[in-house]
Amino acid sequence: MFKLLETINSPEDLRQLEREQLPQLAAELREFLIESVSKTGGHLASNLGAVELTIALHTIFNTPEDKLVWDVGHQTYVHKILTGRRAAMGGLRMAHGISGFPKRNESPYDTFGTGHSSTSISAALGMAVAAKLRGSDERAVAIIGDGAMTGGMAFEALNNAGAMDANLLVILNDNDMSISRPVGALNNYLAKLMSGRFYAAMRRGSEKVLKGVPPMLEFAKRAEEHFKGMWIPGTLFEEFGFNYIGPIDGHDIDVLLDTLGNIRQLEGPQFLHIVTQKGKGYPLAEEDCQLYHGVGKFDRANGVVFKSGSHPTYTEVFGDWLCDMAAQDEKLVGITPAMCEGSGMPDFAEKFPDRYFDVGIAEQHALTFAAGLACEGYKPVVAIYSTFLQRAYDQLIHDVAIQNLPVTFAIDRGGLVGADGATHAGSFDLSYLRSIPNMTVMAPADENECRQMLSTAFRLGTPSAVRYPRGTGPGVAIQADLQVLPVGKGEVRREGHNVAILAFGSMLAPALQAADQLDATVANMRFVKPLDEELVLKLAREHALLVTVEENVVQGGAGSAVAECLARHGLHIAMLHLGLPDEFLEQGNPAQMLADCGLDGAGIARSILERTVN
């Protein structure tokens, strides 16, 4: 079935093929991708769009000595296949399998680990400068999408690279579709230029002069299209000090090979603009590239995605709450850094378009933008993944918290995230949030509590965060009202003896399972900050062992808050802190990952028994 593909185990094998064989290889790669990802899930549409580019890069450049740095890494499956990992694709994004992103410890061809956006130019520039310092002819190539180009870090790197005179090639893979549709000035740069007064006046004047000469008018119109498509986009990058080339067809193997071959011989910073189609070769992905951007297992014949669970995800709970609260309060505004679909905001964007703001891949800007809105009496809700909020930590402190502004953070993907692995895990948010003055930090134990906490956070009038996990909860019925919770108050969910388990957020359900085995007391703490100190002290005085359980690193997390509370009050009691270990956890099945960390019911019970027996 895969006649050519099965002969390729490294880029050296690829380079032995004749040029006329490469279109067949591209077709086989697309077929293999569709078949493989339908069984594992993963990033399909972006990879289908980068097939010819990946073939051309590994054909022209002497990888791995020449360095390829892929931005984000959503488009690296073909790269993995061509660099000896074809057989491993069956374990893509699974425990003990290969990552869905580039990883330096996985292959020498993965020159830089990625997962977050807009880092490729900086990293590739560092490699290009290193080659220059060594006196080497090695080249460094950054491959970045138009969505990632909206990130400020990419422009910082471009600004620096233009002055470096290093042998750096930046390839802009322009498919007009990142995860959510790209937004911002860069995406509209050409349109704005073309609608300017000077250009409009020039065009009107030309039409007046040439309208009596039809062949000349037709020629002028064609020249205009050439002018718009070939010259104007380059001016921006030329100003940064790059030699701009393009745009060219990113699916034309011959054009790619010839262009890259020429660029490989050029000195200094080069910028190649290619145009591709996301989802190319699979009609369903071409029609709905957002659905097939990061897709679960699906039936390749009809495209039906296999779903697990019948009750709503926490993301959907947030999306419903956002619409309901916006209907009640016209001051609510919703903000996302290019994650509309992932954060559950499509319905809000449709129902309240004037109050919906997608700021692009610009987390730092998102928070300060929210702060500015809050200064003027609006009530921003920032929907953001835990792992992406890390990118705006200074803005969280400096622009929101110091000024004590009413910004609500709906933090999705708190804790482990399964197949996306270490780069996307929300392992640290309870630690980095609870250390900030003025912040209120909540973690819901179920879907209805998530809705209540969002309402509570929104009505506080101060910086607040509701941190919830990926996927579905225990299936608790959701009340339609917008009830609030008493701030800083937990609740005892089970009365027991000797051992008290203080569960934070998603850990309540397994804590209750463990408690049934041990006859332990269980408290649903709800608030990480302010901590329910009255409840903590009561449980400490009535039990011999306090156990804290959280889906967050132990260092500086919710358990640390409990220990600090006891120390302040001079209480000495045996304690056991359970949480994520001090390591970066790779991809896997979420339930199994929690079990491996000892955070399922059996693991919590086992840890407690080991402590009490010893």
Side-chain angles (χ1 to χ4, degrees), residues 39 42 76 83 168 224 337 515 607:
K39 296 174 181 176
T76 53
T83 54
L168 170 69
E224 176 191 26
S607 295

Side-chain angles (χ1 to χ4, degrees), residues 282-353:
Y282 187 48
L284 293 169
E286 292 176 4
E287 293 167 13
D288 192 347
C289 51
Q290 286 183 353
L291 173 63
Y292 290 92
H293 169 76
V295 67
K297 299 177 184 179
F298 64 95
D299 185 330
R300 62 162 301 172
N302 56 28
V304 173
V305 180
F306 304 125
K307 299 207 173 188
S308 59
S310 56
H311 42 274
T313 64
Y314 280 102
T315 303
E316 291 167 336
V317 171
F318 164 71
D320 291 341
W321 170 85
L322 188 64
C323 290
D324 292 345
M325 185 59 79
Q328 281 197 11
D329 193 330
E330 63 181 14
K331 292 294 185 179
L332 183 152
V333 292
I335 300 168
T336 175
M339 293 300 296
C340 177
E341 291 77 21
S343 293
M345 299 183 76
D347 286 349
F348 175 80
E350 182 179 346
K351 293 177 181 177
F352 304 95

Side-chain angles (χ1 to χ4, degrees), residues 315 342-343 385-387 411-415 417 424-426 429 468-470:
T315 303
S343 293
Y385 287 10
S386 170
T387 185
I411 304 176
D412 205 333
R413 271 65 167 178
V417 291
H424 284 61
D429 49 51
Y468 43 90
R470 182 177 193 172

